[in-house]
Amino acid sequence: MKKPLTRRHFLNLVGAAGGTTAIYQTSRALGLMEDTGPVAQLDLKNVARSRKKVAILGAGISGLAVAYELERAGYDVTIIEASHRIGGRNMTLRHGDLIDEMGQQRTCNFDDDPDLYFNAGPARIPGHHHRVMHYCRTLSIPLQIKSNVSRMTYTHEENKFGGKPVRIGQYLAETRGLLAEIVHKAVNKNAFDETISVEDQERLLAFASSYGDLDPNGIYKGTLRSGYKSGGFAKPAEIFERMDFREFLSSQFWQRASFMFENPDWGEPLMEAVGGMDNIVKGFARDIKSPIRLNAQVQSIQLQQNGIDVVYNHKGKRKKLSADYCFNSIPTHFMPGIPNNLPEDYRNGLKSLQPGWGFKIGLQMKERFWEREGIYGGATFTSQRIGEIWYPSHGIHGKKGILLGAYQFYDPSMFFDRMTPEERIAYAANCGEKIHPGYSDYIEAGVSVPWRRMNHMMGCGTRFSEDARERYFSLLQQPAAGRHYMIGDQISYHSSWQEGALASAETALLDLDKRVRAETGESRKA
């Protein structure tokens, strides 16, 4: 006897075929949904009378947020940053900016134009990243909508559909049609037995027909949702033919890109800081009065009985900073090379984290040719090494624009890292030709950022093994000896996102506040 198909099992099958949007819509058809709530806000005890001293190691987003909050709570704060700049991986490149790649230092060769910039690190802000949105609001950082998904962009696989790019809108419409046809057939054949009620079956039939634009017999024959093949205005509309079923199912788009439209961190609408994401960094810098010492490399971290000592090199001079507490966002893979007396299990936890990969190319185009193809923002996905092409959401109908010409986030071979900057641009140009004929002719300038080779970074985000996270994550969220806090997106479940960095900073600040209040017998309000 066949096992009856439960609602849970049915939703799992829907998700496997159509992603989380399909699950969401099907759940609504079945009357199932849940909502999420807001996050808490900080309320730190003012310690101006005691003037507790804090050393912050690293001026990335987490370090800047900690400095901002502690400064307002009366702490004596000093920030030490190894690089020539603040912001960490929040880096926007413009004309003349230094690209500090080890062994291949160079300057950005874009035109000197405020609209021609490239977000080499964070490039999008989801609305549910409440902490980032909070600081953008607090620091008066203007935001604009970023078109992350466009049905007019392409999916491209060299060995599918004749190697020609296919509009994403057409591909997604085919997805919905095929999925809906399967659901419609299953309901008609009473595959659900009595586990799903007759009323639910009727709802599912109506949902499937609407979701996939099926004909009255529950068959998918193509849809205007794919876009017009021709006509539609002065002439009758002609729709695209239904795609080859076998080629469609064997496409790698499922594994590579379809989930990106459903992942909540990439779901529309997204935002970006007007004029470049580093305006978030500049917003913090405007409101932080504490000293920020650039080009200062930490050489030692030593816990003391009642505090912590940090030794660093600044302008060729060895200096020591003694503080009550330390907030450390130095990439964890550097910590074994910095002399310290942190507890052994704590050091083992830091060693267990592995640096991630991240690579981007920015290309200055002399014309915004993509707009002639009806593309205004969004991303094209390709099976080629470049991975993606992003189109800017700002500067519409301007003369020039900056494209993201390559984005690789999981490449342990470090294919691009081993190239010269010139070779990277040439390779990306050749890949772009297969999607946009004449692509190379539009390129005027280009920059590449391999985060594994960037000075003072040598990685983009971190990776825990499942065992290491279970063993060490909670430990690393706690301060060593009650004095030394590790922070940054590396100490979060959301590595490589600014929200992860700010969540880590928030966790550490709340712990410090609880300890400081306990010294006077005061309890932190829940």
Side-chain angles (χ1 to χ4, degrees), residues 393-413:
S393 299
H394 69 283
I396 291 174
H397 294 160
K399 182 179 180 181
K400 300 184 179 183
I402 305 294
L403 284 185
L404 183 146
Y407 186 15
Q408 275 292 353
F409 207 76
Y410 302 101
D411 186 12
S413 73

Side-chain angles (χ1 to χ4, degrees), residues 136-153:
C136 287
R137 182 168 52 251
T138 301
L139 300 171
S140 300
I141 299 164
L143 301 176
Q144 63 192 16
I145 294 296
K146 178 180 180 62
S147 177
N148 189 55
V149 176
S150 170
R151 297 177 71 88
M152 295 298 289
T153 58

Side-chain angles (χ1 to χ4, degrees), residues 281-293:
V281 176
K282 294 174 183 177
F284 276 116
R286 282 194 301 268
D287 281 14
I288 292 174
K289 308 305 178 187
S290 302
I292 303 177
R293 295 171 185 167

